């Protein structure tokens, strides 16, 4: 049961080419020939650019040799070589930028598609995953993964591949012009460069992974603290929160310093290898010139090819780190995609069809952890059109009932039936469309009142919103607000009072218009006067529906058609309010205790 949560805590390491293979379908989409054509055109521009790069050093070398002659005809050739060299440089820049223009949509499309898939997957994952994972860390994983894709693709296609071609072409040209000596020296230097870069970058990668972990930790601290802004203020804990955040940010800063210092070491090592090769190659050419075997232009020829080769090699460390880090960040995103979906639709599951909205718990056994059972064979039935309440001591499993009805979790054993249909055998979308809820803590989107009401049903229009507002007794509030339904409610609806938020949640449920209604301690956080107003509204919207009220305060459900009393995950008693009081059992004891508490409060006042 805890496997999904454990998976999310596992340190993420890239899988090299395995991660790249998973990304190829996003880069080469089967159903989008236009994007494939763009990739082919971009590769064509790469080929043209590479051809020009091979001609430029040769043209410059020939220009230098021609300048050694004073003959006007030869001088004209020198001028033509220089002009051709300049034209090749300009054309190379043009082709490189045309390549970028053509490929940009491919990279952005692939990035967007992968990000959309991760977002959809996050909504498919169970409540257990979201309770175990910090929101800030999840957002950071998506942000890093999507940002790394475009850059990584650019380097793979437009740096690594051209560098390999350039290296092979340079080796062939050096062999033809200078023999094996220069080819072997260049090969040794390139191998040493790649090995050194890889070794130091592997070390830097561990530093980077630690830095990313601390960065995500610092962000999650900040998000958690800001989401609990009111709690921080209640306990005057601003200094405490600042200290926690400071510790997290300073740990990240220390890791970032180590990472940047290791970069300096890498740059020094790379520069030493490249300059040693350059010095040796130029000395070899000068020696051949002194012996009469090479011309002065061939010195420029060698310097030009090595400079062209060094330019992408100088970036190899950054390219390798970018690709390495991109693989790590992409692997983190793929890990989210691969996270096991705990609650899934059965293959070929039909939609739930509700004609008589009955709700039945049939010997349901469930717990959030394997070693702690919450419901221990719970059975009860809510008849169609009735108003039923569930009460019991704290920890008896009342709120668990609502989570199971919505299939946030599946029971370990037993069945939950709606109109005789096992909810595990129908689609989750149709199930949740048939059930509405007014929760204890009504969290609203940081948008307008109208948007939050209309959220109850896709496509709800202004008339639906206004009718739901009237049904939830929101019209007086809307009339007092200068912007009416366009009033912003703030983060989690904090600009509204508790009662106003509850009415918006009720209106949202009215827009949904479900045949089955769950009221999960919908008034427990309200004052007595507001509670009575909300209760009257809830009573009105429950009429003609099957409603199940989960309550802590027994006075709020005394008029229910039937009351189920839970104790230790089992049905201890059931009956009407008067019947349960006459029985003088657990319900009567709870009623008397709450009555005494009310009397004590009134006496104290």
């Amino acid at each position: 049961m805890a496997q999904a949560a454990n998976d999310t805590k596992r340190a993420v390491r890239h899988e090299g080419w395995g991660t790249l293979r998973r990304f190829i379908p996003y880069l080469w989409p089967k159903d989008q020939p236009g994007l494939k054509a763009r990739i082919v055109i971009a590769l064509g521009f790469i080929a043209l650019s590479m051809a020009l790069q091979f001609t430029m050093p040769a043209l410059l070398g020939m220009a230098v040799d021609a300048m050694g002659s004073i003959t006007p005809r030869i001088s004209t050739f020198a001028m033509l070589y220089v002009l051709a060299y300049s034209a090749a440089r300009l054309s190379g820049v043009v082709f490189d930028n045309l390549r970028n223009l053509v490929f940009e949509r491919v990279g952005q499309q692939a990035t967007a598609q992968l990000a959309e898939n991760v977002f959809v997957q996050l909504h498919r994952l169970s409540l257990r995953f979201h309770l175990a994972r910090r929101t800030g860390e999840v957002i950071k994983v998506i942000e890093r993964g999507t940002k790394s894709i475009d850059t990584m693709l650019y380097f793979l296609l437009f740096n690594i591949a051209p560098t390999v071609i350039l290296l092979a072409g340079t080796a062939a040209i050096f062999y033809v012009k200078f023999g094996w000596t220069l080819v072997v020296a260049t090969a040794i230097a390139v191998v040493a460069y790649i090995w050194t870069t890889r070794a130091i970058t592997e070390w830097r990668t561990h530093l980077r992974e630690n830095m990313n972990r601390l960065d995500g930790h610092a962000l999650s601290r900040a998000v958690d603290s800001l989401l609990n802004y009111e709690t921080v203020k209640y306990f005057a804990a601003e200094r405490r929160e600042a200290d926690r955040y400071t510790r997290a940010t300073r740990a990240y800063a220390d890791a970032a310093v180590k990472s940047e210092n290791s970069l300096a070491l890498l740059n020094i090592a790379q520069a030493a290898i490249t300059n040693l090769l350059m010095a040796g190659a130029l000395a070899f050419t000068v020696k051949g010139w002194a012996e009469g075997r090479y011309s002065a232009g061939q010195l420029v020829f060698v310097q030009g090819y090595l400079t062209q080769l060094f330019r992408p090699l100088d970036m190899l460390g950054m390219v390798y780190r970018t690709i390495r880090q991109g693989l790590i960040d992409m692997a983190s995103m793929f890990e989210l995609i691969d996270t096991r979906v705990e609650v899934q639709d059965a293959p070929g599951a039909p939609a739930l069809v509700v004609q008589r909205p009955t709700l039945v718990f049939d010997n349901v056994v469930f717990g959030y952890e394997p070693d702690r059972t919450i419901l221990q064979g719970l059975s009860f039935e809510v008849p169609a059109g009735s108003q039923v309440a569930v009460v019991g001591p704290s920890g008896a499993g009342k709120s668990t009932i609502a989570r199971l009805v919505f299939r946030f979790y599946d029971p370990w054993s037993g069945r939950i039936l709606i109109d005789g249909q096992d909810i595990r055998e129908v689609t989750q979308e149709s199930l949740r469309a048939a059930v509405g809820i007014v929760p204890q803590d009504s969290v609203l989107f940081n948008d307008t009142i109208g948007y939050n009401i209309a959220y109850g049903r896709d496509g709800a229009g202004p008339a639906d919103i206004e009718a739901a507002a009237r049904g939830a007794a929101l019209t007086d509030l809307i009339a007092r607000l200068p912007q009416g339904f366009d009033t912003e409610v703030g983060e989690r609806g904090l600009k509204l009072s508790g009662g106003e938020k509850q009415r918006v949640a009720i209106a949202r449920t009215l827009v949904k218009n479900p045949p089955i209604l769950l009221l999960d301690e919908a008034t427990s956080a309200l004052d007595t006067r507001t509670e009575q107003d909300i209760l009257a509204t809830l009573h009105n919207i429950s009429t003609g529906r099957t409603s199940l009220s989960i309550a802590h305060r027994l006075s709020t459900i005394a008029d229910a058609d039937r009351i189920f009393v839970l104790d230790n995950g089992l049905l201890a008693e059931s009956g009407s309010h008067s019947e349960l009081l006459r029985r003088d059992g657990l319900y009567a004891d709870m009623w008397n205790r709450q009555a005494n508490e009310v009397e004590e409060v009134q006496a104290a006042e």
Side-chain angles (χ1 to χ4, degrees):
M1 291 290 177
Q3 182 64 37
N6 292 335
D7 288 345
T8 63
K9 297 176 182 178
R10 190 173 63 247
V12 176
R13 299 301 305 274
H14 79 89
E15 299 175 1
W17 296 111
T19 301
L20 281 179
R21 282 195 299 271
R22 291 200 56 181
F23 182 68
I24 288 175
Y26 295 94
L27 182 63
W28 190 260
K30 295 180 179 179
D31 56 344
Q32 298 190 45
L35 292 181
K36 292 181 180 179
R38 284 177 174 269
I39 295 174
V40 173
I41 294 172
L43 293 176
F45 282 128
I46 292 175
L48 291 172
S49 178
M50 292 302 302
L52 290 173
Q53 287 188 56
F54 282 122
T55 64
M56 286 191 295
L59 290 170
L60 199 59
M62 287 186 287
V64 171
D65 286 338
M67 289 172 64
S69 172
I70 59 173
T71 307
R73 182 181 176 187
I74 299 299
S75 300
T76 301
F77 277 117
M79 182 63 69
L80 291 175
Y81 290 144
V82 170
L83 292 176
Y85 171 80
S86 300
R89 281 182 61 89
L90 174 61
S91 300
V93 173
V94 171
F95 288 145
D96 285 345
N97 282 277
L98 288 175
R99 171 203 68 195
N100 294 341
L101 288 173
V102 170
F103 188 78
E104 182 62 27
R105 181 168 294 278
V106 178
Q108 293 298 332
Q109 182 74 18
T111 299
Q113 186 61 55
L114 182 55
E116 290 166 13
N117 288 354
V118 176
F119 183 79
V120 170
Q121 170 70 356
L122 287 174
H123 277 290
R124 293 181 64 232
L125 294 176
S126 70
L127 182 62
R128 190 189 310 277
F129 170 88
H130 291 281
L131 293 177
R133 191 77 178 248
R134 290 180 180 271
T135 303
E137 292 177 353
V138 173
I139 297 301
K140 200 69 174 180
V141 166
I142 299 175
E143 180 186 356
R144 286 200 197 102
T146 52
K147 283 184 177 180
S148 69
I149 292 169
D150 194 44
T151 305
M152 191 179 69
L153 284 176
Y154 179 86
F155 283 134
L156 279 172
L157 293 176
F158 305 147
N159 186 280
I160 296 295
T163 299
V164 172
I165 297 172
L166 185 61
L167 181 60
T170 301
I173 292 171
F174 279 1
Y175 173 72
V176 172
K177 292 287 187 179
F178 306 102
W180 284 108
T181 304
L182 201 54
V183 174
V184 172
T186 303
I188 291 173
V190 169
V191 170
Y193 188 97
I194 293 174
W195 182 87
T196 302
T197 299
R198 185 180 186 280
I200 297 178
T201 304
E202 285 291 334
W203 168 52
R204 295 194 70 242
T205 298
H206 292 291
L207 297 177
R208 178 79 183 195
E209 287 177 340
N210 185 52
M211 187 177 72
N212 282 349
R213 180 182 61 81
L214 293 172
D215 185 24
H217 182 65
L219 178 65
S220 67
R221 288 289 192 198
V223 171
D224 197 32
S225 181
L226 293 176
L227 287 177
N228 290 279
Y229 171 84
E230 289 176 301
T231 304
V232 174
K233 294 295 183 182
Y234 291 152
F235 295 94
E238 293 90 343
R239 184 69 264 165
R240 198 186 321 162
E241 290 298 311
D243 289 342
R244 291 177 68 202
Y245 184 66
T246 298
R247 286 195 296 271
T249 54
R250 287 182 179 175
Y252 168 75
D254 291 340
V257 168
K258 292 180 181 178
S259 179
E260 290 303 313
N261 289 345
S262 66
L263 176 61
L265 175 62
L266 176 62
N267 290 336
I268 291 172
Q270 290 173 334
I273 295 171
T274 56
N275 283 282
L276 282 173
L277 173 61
M278 179 68 81
L282 294 180
F284 172 81
T285 309
V286 169
K287 183 176 181 295
W289 170 78
E291 295 172 351
R293 291 183 290 114
Y294 304 138
S295 66
Q298 285 177 307
L299 180 69
V300 177
F301 181 92
V302 170
Q303 191 271 343
Y305 275 107
L306 288 180
T307 300
Q308 283 192 165
L309 184 61
F310 289 160
R311 190 178 300 117
L313 281 179
D314 282 341
M315 297 178 61
L316 184 61
M318 183 188 70
V319 171
Y320 182 79
R321 287 192 310 274
T322 300
I323 294 175
R324 183 79 154 79
Q325 187 59 45
L327 290 172
I328 292 171
D329 294 337
M330 285 176 63
S332 299
M333 291 184 67
F334 284 129
E335 185 193 34
L336 290 178
I337 293 177
D338 292 339
T339 301
R340 185 175 65 87
V341 179
E342 183 178 341
V343 179
Q344 302 187 56
D345 288 343
L352 176 67
V353 178
V354 181
Q355 296 178 340
R356 298 187 67 259
T358 59
L359 174 63
V360 175
F361 271 57
D362 181 15
N363 196 30
V364 172
V365 178
F366 173 75
Y368 296 105
E369 300 296 337
D371 57 350
R372 185 185 173 207
T373 304
I374 304 296
L375 302 182
Q376 307 188 48
L378 178 63
S379 296
F380 64 81
E381 179 177 357
V382 181
S386 63
Q387 298 183 26
V388 173
V390 175
V391 301
S394 296
K398 302 186 297 297
S399 293
T400 300
I401 291 174
R403 291 176 171 179
L404 290 176
V405 169
F406 271 92
R407 280 201 76 192
F408 290 161
Y409 305 91
D410 278 334
W412 295 350
S413 64
R415 301 182 303 163
I416 301 174
L417 308 174
I418 291 180
D419 197 2
Q421 302 160 74
D422 191 330
I423 64 173
R424 286 177 298 193
E425 298 176 359
V426 298
T427 61
Q428 296 176 64
E429 182 178 1
S430 64
L431 165 66
R432 290 164 187 160
V435 183
I437 188 169
V438 180
Q440 175 180 356
D441 182 18
S442 298
V443 179
L444 305 181
F445 289 96
N446 189 5
D447 210 300
T448 65
I449 292 178
Y451 174 85
N452 277 280
I453 294 175
Y455 198 81
R457 188 181 75 251
D458 189 22
D464 300 311
I465 296 172
E466 292 176 9
R470 284 195 300 272
L474 267 173
T475 49
D476 289 342
L477 170 65
I478 300 300
R480 293 196 305 269
L481 297 172
Q483 293 179 295
F485 285 105
D486 293 327
T487 302
E488 298 280 343
V489 303
E491 189 80 30
R492 296 186 299 132
L494 292 178
K495 290 184 180 180
L496 303 180
S497 69
E500 291 166 348
K501 284 203 303 181
Q502 287 297 76
R503 291 192 186 280
V504 173
I506 292 169
R508 182 164 58 188
T509 302
L510 284 174
V511 167
K512 185 177 184 180
N513 193 27
I516 298 175
L517 181 62
L518 293 180
L519 307 174
D520 188 3
E521 302 198 32
T523 63
S524 63
L526 305 177
D527 61 85
T528 304
R529 180 175 178 179
T530 304
E531 179 186 55
Q532 294 305 314
D533 293 340
I534 296 292
L535 283 174
T537 303
L538 291 175
H539 182 77
N540 290 334
I541 70 169
S542 298
T543 303
R545 307 175 196 271
T546 301
S547 69
L548 180 64
S549 300
I550 299 168
H552 173 70
R553 280 188 265 190
L554 304 186
S555 59
T556 63
I557 49 85
D559 60 345
D561 298 331
R562 194 166 191 83
I563 300 171
F564 297 124
V565 184
L566 268 59
D567 189 24
N568 292 323
L570 290 169
L571 184 61
E573 300 172 357
S574 68
S576 65
H577 172 69
S578 57
E579 291 172 348
L580 292 172
L581 288 181
R582 286 196 300 270
R583 193 172 299 172
D584 198 23
L586 177 59
Y587 180 85
D589 180 64
M590 293 171 59
W591 178 267
N592 292 331
R593 286 176 181 271
Q594 291 188 11
N596 291 335
E597 289 173 0
V598 172
E599 291 177 359
E600 289 174 2
V601 170
Q602 291 175 346
E605 293 175 350

